[in-house]
Amino acid sequence: MKRIIHWVKSLTFGLILSSLGFSVSGNTWIQELVCEYHANPVGIDVQKPRLSWKIFSDQKNVMQSAYEIRVADSPANLNRKNRLIWESGKVNSSQSVNVEYQGPKIEPMQRVYWQVRVWDNQNKATKWSEPAYWEMGLTQSELWTASWITMENEKEMEGSKPSHYLRKEFSTSKKINSARVYVSALGLYELYLNGKKVGDELFTPGWTSYKNRIQYQTYDVTSMLKSENTLGAILGDGWFRGNIGFRNQRDYYGDKLALIAQLHITYSDGTTETVGTDESWKATTGPIIFSDIYNGETYDARLEMQGWATTSFDDSNWGTVAKLDHPKDILIAPQGVPVKAVEEISPIEILTTPKGETVFDMGQNMVGWVRLKVKGNRGDAVTLKFAEVLDKEGNFYIENLRAAKATDVYILKGDGEEIYEPRFTFHGFRYVKIEDFPGTPQLDNITGVVIYSDMEPTGTFACSEPLINQLQHNIQWGQKGNFLDVPTDCPQRDERLGWTGDAQVFVSTSTFNFNVASFFTKWMKDVAADQGPDGKVNHVVPDVLNGAGGSAAWADAAIIIPWQMYLAYGDKRMLEVQYPSMVGWVNYMKNRAGDDYLWIGDTHYGDWLAFATTRSDYPGATTEKDLIATAYYAQSTKTLADIAQILGKTDDAEKYSNLSEKVKEAFINEFVTPAGRLVSHTQTAYSLALAFNLLPENLIPKAAEYLAGDVDKFKHLTTGFVGTPLLCKTLSNHGYEDLAFMLLNRKEYPSWLYPVTQGATTIWERWDGQKPDGTFQNAGMNSFNHYAYGAIGEWLYNYVAGIQIDSDNPGYKHFFLAPHPGGGLTHAKAEFKSMYGNIKSDWKVEGDQMVYDVTIPANTTATVTLPAASSEKILLNDSPLKNDAQQNDEGVTLKLGSGEYRFSYLM
C-alpha cells in the first residue's frame, strides 16, 4: 500500500511539473503481449510467429525508438544469456505490432517463453515485460501416429443419426510433467477426460474447407490426468454430414463420423508416452438421438450412461471401431477464434399468444440455445422451438426459417431437477415456444446461452440519439450472432453460410467492433482453398454450393478483406499469403472481360435487395449489373496494384495499375455520359463510381450532384448490399453531409432506424422485413439477423466520431481524428482498442461551445482536426493552444503524440 501511495504522489507531482513545462522522466511499461493475435497460444503451426505488445506510460508523446526480444525454453532461462534460444539484440525500430520471430526453428510441441523491453524516444529503457509464451503443435503430418477411427456397424437410417460415444482406458505409472492432447474429427466433437469436458470451446474442430483443411485443437490436460484414466468423445453430424446448404443436402463432405486424438505425456524423468485413437477404442450411441445444425437436437435422458467417460464404467456391451482411411496431411492448427458460450441472457417475459402458445421472450435476438431446468416424470418430453419474431397477431412465427425445424426435444429421466442444453446445434432466436412442460413454466426455467467466436471487443460508439445507439447495439449483436467460426449471412434458417459478399461489405465495420484479425486469417485461407483453378471465388466459403461463384462484389472479398486487415492491423503477412488468390481473382475477371475491359454479360447478384416497390410514384432502384461488375473489376485491380507495391512486386504493381486504368477508361466510355450522368441513374451507381474513383476529374462534382439530387428527391436511400456501405461516406466526402445525416436519422421505411422503431435488436436482411402494418416480407428470404446493412457502423466510427485510418501508416500507427458534429447530434463518443492501445474520440456541443476529448496511445501519433475552430480561440487542457496548428477550411488541424487531451472552443 505504501508503494501505491508513493506512486500516486509521484504521478501527481509529475503531472504538475509537466503542466508547468518541466521535463519529467515518467513511468513506461509493457503489457498485453500477444503472438499471432492470441495471448499465450498453445498448439500453433506458424513457423515464424509474429509478436506484438502494447506500451503504456503516464507521460505524453511517448514513442518506441528500439526494442529487444528474448526467447527461452523456460521463464527462468530468460534471465540466463547462455540459455536463450534467441535474442534480437537492440533493434532500432518503432515497430511493436507483428514483429516476426527470427530465431531458430521451434520444435513440434515445444513451448517457448518470450519477453520484450523497449527504449522510448528519450532513449530510456523500460523494464522487461512479464513473460509470455507460445507453444507449437504437431507441425509435421508424420507426427500423427494416431488413426482416424469410426464406429462400426452404424445403424442405417434417414436423416440425422444418433451421436457417437467413444472411449478408451489407459494407465500412467510415473509422475507427469506435462500432457497435451491433439484432437480433431469428421463432424463435431466434444472431448472428455476422466469424466470432465476438456476445454471450453464449442463446435470443434470448426468449419473449414474440409476437403483441403481440417483443424485440430490442442489442450493442456496435465492437471486432469490420474494413474487410471479414460478418454472419451462425443461426435455429432455438424457441418460435415448434417444438413447444409440448400434443399436439405446431407453428407456433403462424407457419410462417416470419425475421431482422431493423440495424447502426449511427458513424465518427470524425461520419458514420453503416447495414447492415440486406434482399433482398441470402443463406441456406441447414447442419449443424443438426433442432432443437426438446422433442425435442432433430441436428447433422451433415459439413455444416459452415467460415468461413461470414467474408469469405473462397464463398456462390455459397447461396439468396436474401425480405422478410417482419411488423410492426415490436411490437419492444421487453428488460426481463428474459437466458438464459446460467451454470454447468458435471462428471459424478460412469458407470453401466452392468441393461439394459446406459451412463449418466452428473451428480449434480444440472439444466437445459441437455451439451458432448460425442468422437473417431471420419466418419459415426459419437453419441446423447445425457436423464432425471431411474433406475427402481427402476436403468435409464434417460424415461416421465415424455411425448412429449418429449429427444435430441441428433451426427454426426462424422472430424477429430480434436470438440466439440459444441446451440444451440436444452434438457433437464431428471440422467442422460445415451450410445449409439454410438466407444470407451469417460470422465467428461471430457461436461460439463454449466447455463443459466437470469442473475439475481443474493441469498439464502442454512443451518441445523443437513443435510436442510433440502439442501431449500434443491433450492429454489434448482428456481428456476434453471425461470426460463428465463419462469417455467416444469417443464423436461423436453413442456410447459415459464409457468403463472401456479406463479409466483404461489412468487413470494415467489423474491424471496429471486434478484433477480427485471426478470424479472417482463418477464413481467407478457406477462400483460397476453395477457389477454382481459373481463379473463380465461390459465393459461399466453405463451399457447399458445388463451386458456384464468380459474382462481382461477392468474390471481391478475396482482395478487399485482406486489404482491410492490412489497414486495420498492419497485417502485411496476410497480403503475402493471400496474394496468389488475389491474382487469381483479377485474372478471372480479366479473362471474363476480354480485350475491351468491360465485364458484361455474366450472372451476378448485383445490388442485392436494393429498395424496390411497384408504386409508380415511388420507384425502386435497379443498378445495371454490368456496371457493378466493371466497377469492382477496376477497384479490385487497383487495390491489387497497391498491394503489389507494398509487397515489393514492382512489375506486378505496374501491370495491375495499367490494367485498372484501362478498365476505368472503358467504364467511362460505356457507362458515363459527357455530362457526368451514369446509365444507371441510381444512388448505388454514383456511390460506386465516386468511391472507386472511376470518373474524370472534371465530372466528379456533377456526379456527386446527381447522387445528392437523387437522395434529396426521394428523401431516403434506395441502395442494396453493394451501395449501402458506400452511400453516406460518399455523400459526406463530397460535401453533402447534411443528406448523409438525414439518411442516418430517417425513421420511416426504408432506413436504418426504421427496424429500430419496430423493436429490432439486430440488423435485418431487408429494409422492410417487418412492414409498418405488422406483416412480413416474403418468408422465403426474410432474416431478422443479417449484418450486411450494419455496414453504416463504419461511418459512425470514422465520420461522426472521426476515428480514421491512415493508409500510409496502417494499423493506426498514425491515424486521423476528425469528428463531424451534425444531424442534430449534441455529442458522440467512440473508443477503439487498436493494436497499440485505446483510441478515444469524444465530442460534445453545448450551444456554441465544443468540447473534444481524445486519447492517443503510446507509440502512435494522430492528426487532429477541430471542426469550425479558430486557433486563437482554442484551449488545450485548459491552456491556450501553443502547438503548430494549421487553419484550413475544415477548421484547425494539428499533429499530436500519445496522451489524453481536451480541446474546448467556441464554434
Side-chain angles (χ1 to χ4, degrees):
M1 179 61 72
K2 290 182 178 179
R3 292 179 63 185
I4 294 174
I5 294 173
H6 174 74
W7 181 83
V8 171
K9 288 181 177 179
S10 298
L11 175 59
T12 304
F13 182 63
L15 292 174
I16 294 172
L17 290 177
S18 178
S19 68
L20 295 175
F22 291 94
S23 176
V24 179
S25 179
N27 295 305
T28 300
W29 61 96
I30 310 298
Q31 285 183 321
E32 298 188 33
L33 278 63
V34 295
C35 172
E36 290 297 319
Y37 300 108
H38 296 283
N40 300 328
V42 174
I44 69 172
D45 59 7
V46 182
Q47 296 295 339
K48 290 188 175 181
R50 295 163 298 168
L51 310 175
S52 305
W53 56 89
K54 291 181 181 176
I55 302 169
F56 296 86
S57 182
D58 55 19
Q59 298 298 296
K60 286 184 170 66
N61 301 312
V62 173
M63 292 291 290
Q64 174 185 297
S65 62
Y67 67 81
E68 183 176 14
I69 299 170
R70 60 189 186 189
V71 179
D73 61 2
S74 71
N77 284 340
L78 286 169
N79 297 306
R80 299 167 181 159
K81 191 173 181 65
N82 63 340
R83 299 296 298 276
L84 293 176
I85 294 173
W86 176 65
E87 57 181 333
S88 67
K90 184 178 180 180
V91 179
N92 293 319
S93 169
S94 67
Q95 184 180 2
S96 60
V97 173
N98 289 331
V99 176
E100 188 176 276
Y101 167 74
Q102 296 286 355
K105 179 181 177 181
I106 305 301
E107 294 300 315
M109 300 178 284
Q110 182 181 2
R111 175 178 290 192
V112 295
Y113 296 82
W114 67 285
Q115 287 178 302
V116 62
R117 63 174 175 174
V118 306
W119 284 260
D120 65 15
N121 41 335
Q122 305 300 318
N123 201 33
K124 180 181 177 182
T126 66
K127 294 180 179 179
W128 285 100
S129 68
E130 290 296 314
Y133 61 81
W134 78 86
E135 182 174 315
M136 305 302 290
L138 298 180
T139 54
Q140 301 163 15
S141 60
E142 56 268 24
L143 294 173
W144 282 97
T145 57
S147 300
W148 289 102
I149 59 171
T150 186
M151 186 176 74
E152 286 194 303
N153 303 316
E154 182 179 29
K155 184 179 179 181
E156 292 296 327
M157 57 190 301
E158 291 295 322
S160 176
K161 300 178 179 68
S163 293
H164 297 182
Y165 286 68
L166 301 94
R167 69 188 307 273
K168 163 74 174 181
E169 294 188 10
F170 64 96
S171 302
T172 58
S173 57
K174 294 181 284 188
K175 185 178 180 181
I176 295 170
N177 183 58
S178 65
R180 304 287 185 271
V181 62
Y182 307 90
V183 197
S184 189
L186 307 181
L188 301 176
Y189 77 83
E190 280 191 352
L191 186 71
Y192 290 80
L193 179 56
N194 295 326
K196 295 181 179 179
K197 186 176 183 291
V198 176
D200 59 354
E201 300 182 14
L202 305 173
F203 291 90
T204 48
W207 191 13
T208 52
S209 174
Y210 286 144
K211 297 174 184 178
N212 301 290
R213 295 157 30 92
I214 300 177
Q215 296 182 133
Y216 67 87
Q217 282 71 40
T218 303
Y219 303 101
D220 182 347
V221 293
T222 308
S223 63
M224 299 179 71
L225 285 173
K226 305 174 183 178
S227 57
E228 299 296 327
N229 303 276
T230 300
L231 269 173
I234 310 175
L235 303 182
D237 289 350
W239 297 285
F240 187 83
R241 76 170 190 183
N243 284 292
I244 198 67
F246 302 117
R247 298 174 295 278
N248 285 321
Q249 165 182 269
R250 288 187 58 81
D251 301 337
Y252 186 83
Y253 296 102
D255 61 359
K256 289 187 180 296
L257 300 181
L259 175 73
I260 188 168
Q262 191 162 306
L263 172 63
H264 284 261
I265 304 170
T266 301
Y267 294 106
S268 297
D269 63 4
T271 60
T272 62
E273 183 178 1
T274 300
V275 178
T277 43
D278 58 23
E279 291 163 303
S280 67
W281 285 57
K282 288 194 164 187
T284 190
T285 58
I288 304 176
I289 60 177
F290 178 100
S291 75
D292 185 84
I293 286 178
Y294 292 168
N295 295 322
E297 180 174 296
T298 299
Y299 187 96
D300 189 343
R302 298 171 300 179
L303 302 179
E304 287 181 346
M305 301 165 288
Q306 192 65 34
W308 68 272
T310 65
T311 55
S312 60
F313 183 76
D314 178 8
D315 62 6
S316 59
N317 63 343
W318 283 39
T320 57
V321 302
K323 291 183 179 180
L324 183 69
D325 184 16
H326 198 81
K328 291 187 276 187
D329 59 359
I330 62 174
L331 287 166
I332 59 166
Q335 286 189 298
V337 186
V339 177
K340 294 185 179 182
V342 185
E343 304 176 47
E344 294 191 353
I345 294 178
S346 297
I348 61 173
E349 187 178 6
I350 299 177
L351 308 169
T352 301
T353 71
K355 289 184 177 180
E357 305 154 313
T358 300
V359 176
F360 287 82
D361 180 3
M362 306 304 296
Q364 171 65 50
N365 198 3
M366 55 170 280
V367 175
W369 53 70
V370 296
R371 183 186 305 118
L372 173 68
K373 183 174 68 174
V374 61
K375 185 176 181 180
N377 297 320
R378 183 177 178 84
D380 287 348
V382 179
T383 299
L384 301 166
K385 296 185 177 182
F386 300 85
E388 295 185 290
V389 291
L390 303 178
D391 68 14
K392 182 178 181 179
E393 288 73 33
N395 293 308
F396 198 69
Y397 179 82
I398 58 172
E399 280 77 4
N400 69 320
L401 304 187
R402 300 192 305 216
K405 293 182 175 61
T407 300
D408 294 339
V409 178
Y410 179 70
I411 303 171
L412 280 70
K413 57 189 173 185
D415 186 18
E417 184 175 87
E418 302 177 40
I419 306 294
Y420 163 72
E421 54 186 298
R423 288 176 169 86
F424 302 131
T425 189
F426 65 87
H427 312 289
F429 65 98
R430 172 173 173 169
Y431 298 96
V432 184
K433 181 167 70 169
I434 191 165
E435 297 176 339
D436 301 322
F437 185 87
T440 302
Q442 304 298 317
L443 283 174
D444 65 353
N445 283 124
I446 70 168
T447 301
V449 179
V450 183
I451 69 169
Y452 51 89
S453 290
D454 190 19
M455 307 164 291
E456 177 190 14
T458 52
T460 60
F461 174 89
C463 67
S464 55
E465 172 51 65
L467 293 178
I468 296 175
N469 294 338
Q470 182 65 42
L471 172 65
Q472 168 68 7
H473 169 97
N474 295 0
I475 292 169
Q476 291 188 319
W477 273 86
Q479 182 172 348
K480 288 191 289 189
N482 283 293
F483 276 41
L484 199 154
D485 204 49
V486 303
T488 62
D489 58 326
C490 61
Q492 74 296 92
R493 67 189 181 211
D494 57 343
E495 192 167 350
R496 315 185 200 188
L497 304 179
W499 284 94
T500 49
D502 301 52
Q504 183 268 119
V505 300
F506 186 72
V507 61
S508 183
T509 296
S510 77
T511 64
F512 280 107
N513 291 329
F514 295 89
N515 187 325
V516 294
S518 59
F519 179 88
F520 278 115
T521 295
K522 175 252 186 187
W523 189 68
M524 290 309 302
K525 289 185 177 180
D526 289 308
V527 170
D530 276 341
Q531 192 169 2
D534 59 354
K536 181 174 65 175
V537 176
N538 296 299
H539 296 327
V540 301
V541 175
D543 172 44
V544 291
L545 302 182
N546 301 305
S551 177
W554 271 248
D556 292 279
I559 292 176
I560 293 171
I561 291 178
W563 178 244
Q564 288 297 325
M565 295 303 103
Y566 173 73
L567 294 178
Y569 306 107
D571 196 328
K572 186 176 177 181
R573 182 177 287 178
M574 184 182 282
L575 301 182
E576 296 168 344
V577 170
Q578 298 297 134
Y579 190 76
S581 171
M582 299 186 225
V583 170
W585 171 240
V586 167
N587 287 341
Y588 176 87
M589 291 190 287
K590 183 174 182 291
N591 290 333
R592 299 304 298 169
D595 294 338
D596 60 3
Y597 304 105
L598 291 170
W599 190 6
I600 59 177
D602 279 356
T603 300
H604 303 279
Y605 288 111
D607 193 25
W608 189 249
L609 296 182
F611 171 76
T613 177
T614 57
R615 283 176 51 184
S616 59
D617 63 329
Y618 209 47
T622 300
T623 303
E624 189 176 336
K625 292 179 181 179
D626 292 344
L627 182 153
I628 295 172
T630 304
Y632 266 95
Y633 178 21
Q635 176 68 3
S636 284
T637 305
K638 175 61 171 67
T639 303
L640 181 58
D642 293 339
I643 291 169
Q645 190 68 46
I646 291 166
L647 298 181
K649 300 177 184 292
T650 53
D651 290 345
D652 279 5
E654 182 179 3
K655 177 174 68 175
Y656 293 120
S657 179
N658 291 337
L659 177 58
S660 69
E661 286 300 316
K662 291 176 181 177
V663 179
K664 175 179 177 179
E665 182 180 355
F667 179 93
I668 293 169
N669 292 334
E670 184 73 11
F671 300 114
V672 186
T673 71
R677 186 183 177 97
L678 298 181
V679 295
S680 292
H681 191 65
T682 65
Q683 294 172 19
T684 290
Y686 288 108
S687 295
L688 284 168
L690 290 164
F692 291 175
N693 191 28
L694 296 178
L695 299 171
E697 198 71 31
N698 64 307
L699 294 184
I700 290 175
K702 189 60 180 177
E705 184 180 331
Y706 278 131
L707 171 61
D710 193 79
V711 173
D712 188 52
K713 174 183 176 182
F714 294 114
K715 307 299 184 189
H716 65 76
L717 48 76
T718 62
T719 51
F721 277 30
V722 170
T724 297
L726 304 174
L727 181 56
C728 280
K729 63 182 177 182
T730 303
L731 287 167
S732 57
N733 286 346
H734 291 275
Y736 296 98
E737 78 160 32
D738 55 334
L739 290 175
F741 274 111
M742 180 271 290
L743 293 177
L744 175 66
N745 281 313
R746 178 182 168 89
K747 300 175 183 62
E748 300 78 23
Y749 162 75
S751 69
W752 285 286
L753 296 186
Y754 167 73
V756 175
T757 67
Q758 298 295 301
T761 59
T762 46
I763 299 298
W764 293 354
E765 180 177 20
R766 294 176 176 269
W767 294 118
D768 60 342
Q770 178 175 301
K771 299 177 182 180
D773 64 0
T775 61
F776 297 125
Q777 255 285 0
N778 186 334
M781 192 170 61
N782 195 25
S783 163
F784 291 93
N785 193 350
H786 223 90
Y787 58 73
Y789 285 145
I792 185 62
E794 176 194 10
W795 193 73
L796 298 178
Y797 279 107
N798 68 23
Y799 191 82
V800 179
I803 301 176
Q804 301 171 11
I805 291 172
D806 177 3
S807 61
D808 293 330
N809 296 275
Y812 298 91
K813 179 66 172 171
H814 170 266
F815 54 94
F816 301 99
L817 293 173
H820 291 86
L825 300 180
T826 58
H827 71 81
K829 176 182 179 181
E831 292 195 71
F832 174 67
K833 189 177 181 181
S834 76
M835 292 293 290
Y836 295 94
N838 193 55
I839 297 169
K840 183 176 75 173
S841 179
D842 180 4
W843 60 262
K844 180 180 292 185
V845 175
E846 296 180 351
D848 294 332
Q849 181 78 17
M850 172 81 163
V851 177
Y852 184 38
D853 292 312
V854 306
T855 299
I856 302 168
N859 203 29
T860 71
T861 58
T863 298
V864 181
T865 297
L866 306 175
S870 298
S871 56
E872 66 273 8
K873 298 180 180 180
I874 299 171
L875 296 180
L876 172 56
N877 294 338
D878 297 324
S879 298
L881 182 65
K882 296 180 181 179
N883 297 61
D884 295 329
Q886 295 183 345
Q887 190 79 45
N888 53 46
D889 293 340
E890 294 289 324
V892 171
T893 299
L894 64 158
K895 189 170 183 178
L896 293 173
S898 64
E900 296 183 352
Y901 303 90
R902 164 165 285 194
F903 299 93
S904 57
Y905 59 93
L906 291 175
M907 300 180 71

